[in-house]
Amino acid sequence: MAEQSKVILHGMWVSPFAKRVELALNLKGISYEYVEEDLANKSDLLLKYNPVHKKVPVLVHNGKTIAESLVILEYIDETWKDGPKLLPSDPYKRAQARFWSKFMQEQTSTIIVLGTCPFK
């Protein structure tokens, strides 16, 4: 079982990307501290933890930071072996899951940025 001494998630209540990380942490039964970020007034910690994109989500595990929700999900799945797997063990099925996850991320981004639904 992975070391779980300190897990912090920096997110924003409206971010679907942060929400999917929260879902994964809860599904795996991982205790974590949640830090709500105001993206209009970004915290010094958020800027320090994600200096490239300066956005949420950011996972901090024992002082190590991981940014980008899909990367965080893979990290969670590989670090915490207990609980259900987030991705299938079969490489082809895992690739399919990654494809659909990326597709949904792109669609969600379109909805958030443009305020329109591409499925109409």
Side-chain angles (χ1 to χ4, degrees):
M1 185 166 128
E3 174 78 21
Q4 188 174 302
S5 61
K6 188 72 170 175
V7 178
I8 303 168
L9 173 62
H10 290 257
M12 184 179 178
W13 70 272
V14 74
S15 168
F17 311 111
K19 289 297 176 193
R20 73 173 157 197
V21 173
E22 283 186 81
L23 179 64
L25 291 168
N26 290 326
L27 188 65
K28 288 279 202 174
I30 301 165
S31 298
Y32 63 97
E33 175 187 336
Y34 179 79
V35 176
E36 178 71 17
E37 291 286 350
D38 175 2
L39 296 185
N41 187 23
K42 297 175 181 173
S43 72
D44 290 339
L45 281 179
L46 179 61
L47 297 174
K48 174 185 171 187
Y49 292 153
N50 192 352
V52 175
H53 297 295
K54 301 174 176 66
K55 61 183 183 177
V56 297
V58 173
L59 185 78
V60 183
H61 179 221
N62 291 329
K64 298 176 186 171
T65 60
I66 302 99
E68 297 297 318
S69 63
L70 294 178
V71 176
I72 294 169
L73 293 179
E74 288 183 15
Y75 177 83
I76 290 169
D77 213 21
E78 293 169 0
T79 302
W80 287 276
K81 304 292 184 189
D82 294 345
K85 295 287 292 168
L86 301 177
L87 288 171
S89 57
D90 177 72
Y92 179 73
K93 289 180 180 177
R94 197 166 50 248
Q96 287 181 315
R98 286 183 176 126
F99 170 84
W100 287 113
S101 181
K102 185 175 183 329
F103 175 80
M104 291 307 297
Q105 179 172 328
E106 290 167 355
Q107 299 309 309
T108 304
S109 296
T110 300
I111 293 168
I112 290 170
V113 171
L114 301 178
T116 61
C117 181
F119 302 116
K120 288 185 181 178

